[in-house]
Amino acid sequence: MHADVLVVGGGTGGVAAALGALRAGRSVILTEEYDWLGGQLTSQAVPPDEHTWIEQFGATASYRALRDGIRDYYRRHYPLTARARARRDLNPGAGWVSRLCHEPRVGVAVIDAMLAPYRGSGRLTVLQPYRPVAAATDGDRVAAVTLAHRDSGEQITATAAYVLDATETGELLPLTGTEYVTGFEAQSDTGEPSAPEAAQPLNMQAVSYCFALDHVDGDHTIDRPASYDFWRSYRPSFWGAPLLSWSAPHPRTLEVVERGFTPNPGDDPAEVVADQRVSGGDMNLWTFRRIAARDNFVPGAYASDITLVNWPMIDYWEGPVIDVPDAQAHLAAAKELSYSLLYWMQTEAPRADGGTGFPGLRLRGDVTGGADGLAQAPYIRESRRIRAEYTVVEQDLSLDARGGKGAVNYRDSVGIGMYRLDLHPSTGGDTYIDVPSSPFEIPLGALIPTRMENLLPAGKNLGTTHITNGCYRLHPVEWNTGEVAGLLAAHCIEHKVTPRGVRNTPDRLETFQHLLRAHGVELRWPDISGY
């Protein structure tokens, strides 16, 4: 198969990359390993993690269209109350983590609708479920990528002028021999204040298998997980409590705090104001990442709220899942951890009334689309990352390092983002690193490999470090990165230039940045402060 642009990986960045190239008039092959397009937004079942100003600015026009489409889908197809329907800033789940907590299937539906006209015209071919298994190179160019059907093993070879790696773990980088880095870089390499003296390539952020729950009458207790005894007695040295408990370190202060858990608390969805500048919103775990608040819907439509479990207790850091021979064993253990938390909640978790266990908690695999009851895919926080022409480092955007100066303004900015430097516990035994960030820009240099000419990152695999990945990994930034990669590939084909030539030639860079603005990509922040 052949197209102008091959996008390998149909996650949040991959979808945006395909849309960018398609809007620019190019033909695209988009591949995805799982049953749903959308990645962390859908198959990984993670509601959008977004910054304080997302409703006003700080996202591309197409990301804003995605968000508007999700709200419109609820208004058109769901039995909302008149009050909820009238809210311009409808938050279907009334979760505290985001102003737009929603069921994953709605994200899938809206993404499919955004891609539909291009599929109908024949300019977009979606290969699903396919994953990359091999690649051929010709010098510094990717010549072809071999893709295998996830279930049958059937193989397809795809070629394109530009190949975009939008996989969750940067899978094309080793297959193509593209130079990359993993884990924690050494301070001598990056100059980052929080980096260790020696590089730790296998020290990566925890992965998680998320799942959805409601709480209804009856006993919905799952079978006792095989490794339950291990996880029940597991007490990390930096945790200050058993992992399976309501106690955990506060990510920002590391103080051990007690979370609350009250299914269906009967709170008013309209009173929820998700603002991570004020709070992470995780003190009541039920409402933290709630994706359906039953009081947003007409009485009887939902028997219960639905909450999405992406909580501290399911972070798996016993071993990395990238560049190790036992990755599948670690992913299986991460699933066991998620099941063990659920079983503990159903049978042993202390309740506010003095009792134990919540047998009414019901696993909602129908909501996440996972055949085993969990999300279809693991939530991958940290990918392989290209060795780039420019690598974003901690001192570029840390509020502590930058003070009142704001983040670095890059001459080659191709987008903006904002999130705290939020690193979860890691496979090297590190606890949380969660410190304030300045609103930052995305430099084009972080999307250009040091050597390869026609391969571009389109997700979490751009040129960041272990530390700065902590804020470049979230939904709006991944979407922006992917969209720019797609637009850049199309621009280079049209004008017969290279990505490197665009970045390093002032008039070409100015032309490309003008194109980005025309597509609704914001390149600079207004004068605001970080948090």
Side-chain angles (χ1 to χ4, degrees):
M1 300 184 67
H2 179 77
D4 295 327
V5 179
L6 169 63
V7 182
V8 180
T12 307
V15 168
L19 283 168
L22 289 161
R23 289 201 320 269
R26 295 293 141 188
S27 60
V28 174
I29 297 170
L30 174 64
T31 80
E32 170 54 28
E33 178 178 356
Y34 294 97
D35 294 337
W36 289 348
L37 296 174
Q40 61 178 330
L41 187 74
T42 60
S43 61
Q44 297 175 33
V46 180
D49 267 311
E50 299 170 333
H51 57 74
T52 292
W53 308 281
I54 193 69
E55 301 289 345
Q56 291 80 40
F57 46 78
T60 73
S62 65
Y63 185 78
R64 202 172 304 285
L66 170 72
R67 299 178 86 255
D68 291 344
I70 289 169
R71 285 176 170 145
D72 288 346
Y73 192 93
Y74 273 95
R75 293 188 184 102
R76 291 175 184 171
H77 302 292
Y78 277 68
L80 296 168
T81 64
R83 184 188 187 203
R85 189 180 304 279
R87 288 184 63 95
R88 184 189 63 81
D89 58 345
L90 170 66
N91 188 348
W96 286 87
V97 73
S98 168
R99 286 177 162 87
L100 186 60
C101 289
H102 59 86
E103 296 173 48
R105 284 184 186 276
V106 178
V108 178
V110 175
I111 285 170
D112 285 345
M114 295 174 80
L115 294 172
Y118 304 107
R119 298 177 89 159
S121 69
R123 286 203 292 114
L124 171 63
T125 301
V126 179
L127 298 178
Q128 198 175 11
Y130 280 82
R131 59 186 179 85
V133 293
T137 58
D138 181 6
D140 297 336
R141 298 184 64 83
V142 180
V145 176
T146 301
L147 304 145
H149 192 281
R150 181 193 64 196
D151 304 324
S152 70
E154 173 199 10
Q155 292 193 348
I156 293 175
T157 298
T159 60
Y162 279 85
V163 176
L164 276 51
D165 185 347
T167 61
E168 299 299 322
T169 56
E171 292 171 48
L172 286 187
L173 303 184
L175 293 178
T176 59
T178 301
E179 292 79 6
Y180 68 90
V181 65
T182 62
F184 226 147
E185 296 88 345
Q187 190 175 83
S188 58
D189 291 334
T190 66
E192 294 175 302
S194 302
E197 289 187 10
Q200 301 170 3
L202 293 181
N203 187 2
M204 306 178 204
Q205 284 195 70
V207 301
S208 301
Y209 267 99
C210 304
F211 55 94
L213 291 176
D214 61 9
H215 188 266
V216 293
D217 292 339
D219 186 344
H220 302 279
T221 304
I222 63 171
D223 293 338
R224 183 186 178 96
S227 60
Y228 180 68
D229 288 341
F230 171 81
W231 291 114
R232 185 174 180 272
S233 61
Y234 188 71
R235 191 182 180 106
S237 60
F238 56 83
W239 206 253
L243 185 63
L244 301 188
S245 71
W246 298 133
S247 299
H250 190 289
R252 300 183 184 182
T253 67
L254 302 183
E255 175 190 4
V256 178
V257 294
E258 184 89 0
R259 265 77 172 190
F261 183 73
T262 307
N264 297 316
D267 58 321
D268 184 351
E271 296 298 319
V272 172
V273 180
D275 187 347
Q276 294 197 21
R277 177 174 44 183
V278 178
S279 166
D282 60 341
M283 296 313 294
N284 184 336
L285 291 170
W286 183 266
T287 57
F288 177 31
R289 295 183 185 270
R290 183 172 52 186
I291 56 176
R294 63 179 178 180
D295 289 335
N296 268 332
F297 304 92
V298 297
Y302 279 67
S304 166
D305 295 346
I306 303 173
T307 193
L308 195 285
V309 177
N310 178 17
W311 303 340
M313 302 88 89
I314 64 166
D315 280 7
Y316 177 87
W317 57 74
E318 283 292 286
V321 298
I322 295 174
D323 288 350
V324 291
D326 54 352
Q328 291 304 313
H330 285 303
L331 289 172
K335 284 189 174 185
E336 278 284 297
L337 171 56
S338 291
Y339 287 129
S340 294
L341 173 66
L342 173 57
Y343 185 78
W344 174 81
M345 288 194 294
Q346 290 173 323
T347 61
E348 296 190 70
R351 302 193 309 256
D353 64 6
T356 56
F358 297 83
L361 291 174
R362 180 173 59 171
L363 188 61
R364 293 294 304 271
D366 57 315
V367 169
T368 57
D372 57 8
L374 307 178
Q376 294 175 25
Y379 178 27
I380 304 289
R381 295 181 174 89
E382 184 173 340
S383 174
R384 299 177 180 91
R385 304 179 297 280
I386 65 165
R387 290 199 178 275
E389 282 209 345
Y390 184 86
T391 299
V392 179
V393 292
E394 179 183 6
Q395 53 270 35
D396 281 0
L397 50 91
S398 163
L399 202 60
D400 292 339
R402 296 291 299 170
K405 294 182 290 186
V408 170
N409 291 125
Y410 305 111
R411 65 170 182 82
D412 60 342
S413 174
V414 291
I416 59 177
M418 172 61 201
Y419 206 74
R420 288 172 65 89
L421 285 159
D422 173 14
L423 281 78
H424 285 234
S426 65
T427 56
D430 296 322
T431 187
Y432 291 97
I433 299 174
D434 189 333
V435 297
S437 167
S438 302
F440 54 84
E441 298 172 0
I442 304 170
L444 180 57
L447 274 70
I448 300 177
T450 54
R451 180 179 60 85
M452 297 298 284
E453 296 293 345
N454 72 330
L455 183 142
L456 296 170
K460 294 187 285 288
N461 52 351
L462 76 165
T464 59
T465 65
H466 173 79
I467 294 172
T468 57
N469 162 76
C471 55
Y472 275 73
R473 66 182 173 84
L474 284 310
H475 303 66
V477 185
E478 183 181 343
W479 183 279
N480 191 326
T481 301
E483 183 173 1
V484 167
L487 288 168
L488 178 61
H491 180 77
C492 289
I493 293 170
E494 180 180 355
H495 295 281
K496 297 181 173 57
V497 294
T498 65
R500 211 177 312 282
V502 170
R503 177 181 185 247
N504 297 320
T505 309
D507 58 337
R508 289 177 178 173
L509 176 61
E510 184 178 352
T511 297
F512 181 60
Q513 289 174 320
H514 179 76
L515 171 72
L516 293 180
R517 292 189 189 96
H519 278 270
V521 178
E522 299 175 25
L523 306 186
R524 307 290 181 195
W525 280 98
D527 185 14
I528 52 176
S529 298
Y531 55 88

